[in-house]
Amino acid sequence: MNNLPDETKKRFVAVLNKKMDVGRTVNVLGHMSVGLSNLLTPDDAVYVDYTDRDNNIYSGVSHYPFIVLKADNSNKIRKVREEAITRGITFTVFVDTMIVGGSIVQQSKTRETPELDLNYLGICLFGETEVIREITKKFSLYG
């Protein structure tokens, strides 16, 4: 009936700085998720539609798992970013300079800030499950 790939082969993983309040956390996760989906090709991720018994359709739900983890601090997220770059993993990040003002102000503030001075609030990755697990195994589930 369906020709879906094995859903255990790939995954989305977000690692969020646990020092944020709930509102900021949800905002950061939303921004990173939308940004990451924009970086993916149609061959990367797989989305499925669900239909209930009344024929209502719930479209575009990820076939692959989306796991949300927490990090103790910015430096732990920085290390995940470095590892993602090294391994060629598709990712997006959100840093503290992306909070105040509109995107033009945020871009300017980010451009003026050395990387080591950035406070990483989150990273969102997509890729092969085993590779992602290797660099995120030290984090616990968010909750």
Side-chain angles (χ1 to χ4, degrees):
M1 180 177 155
N2 69 47
N3 293 326
L4 293 171
D6 181 349
E7 64 191 37
T8 65
K9 296 293 183 196
K10 294 182 181 180
R11 64 179 42 199
F12 291 89
V13 174
V15 182
L16 300 166
N17 191 323
K18 73 178 189 179
K19 295 179 180 179
M20 296 182 287
D21 64 34
V22 174
R24 172 86 60 223
T25 300
V26 174
N27 181 266
V28 166
L29 181 58
H31 275 282
M32 291 188 310
S33 300
V34 169
L36 182 59
S37 68
N38 185 56
L39 297 177
L40 301 177
T41 69
D43 295 331
D44 289 332
V46 175
Y47 302 94
V48 296
D49 296 337
Y50 291 80
T51 306
D52 66 22
R53 195 157 84 178
D54 299 319
N55 290 320
N56 294 300
I57 298 173
Y58 308 93
S59 299
V61 178
S62 177
H63 172 65
Y64 295 116
F66 194 117
I67 313 298
V68 181
L69 305 171
K70 62 184 171 185
D72 290 338
N73 58 52
S74 173
N75 283 332
K76 293 192 185 286
I77 296 170
R78 176 179 279 108
K79 287 178 181 156
V80 172
R81 177 184 174 270
E82 291 166 0
E83 192 67 28
I85 291 168
T86 299
R87 294 177 180 238
I89 297 169
T90 304
F91 71 94
T92 54
V93 295
F94 201 93
V95 295
D96 60 338
T97 56
M98 299 173 182
I99 294 172
V100 180
S103 64
I104 302 298
V105 172
Q106 295 164 359
Q107 287 176 313
S108 177
K109 181 77 172 156
T110 304
R111 196 170 17 261
E112 296 166 3
T113 306
E115 191 276 332
L116 282 176
D117 291 342
L118 293 172
N119 180 22
Y120 285 83
L121 302 180
I123 186 167
C124 196
L125 313 139
F126 177 77
E128 300 293 325
T129 296
E130 290 310 314
V131 177
I132 301 278
R133 271 191 184 143
E134 286 177 22
I135 65 173
T136 60
K137 65 185 172 193
K138 58 190 163 279
F139 301 103
S140 57
L141 286 173
Y142 198 94

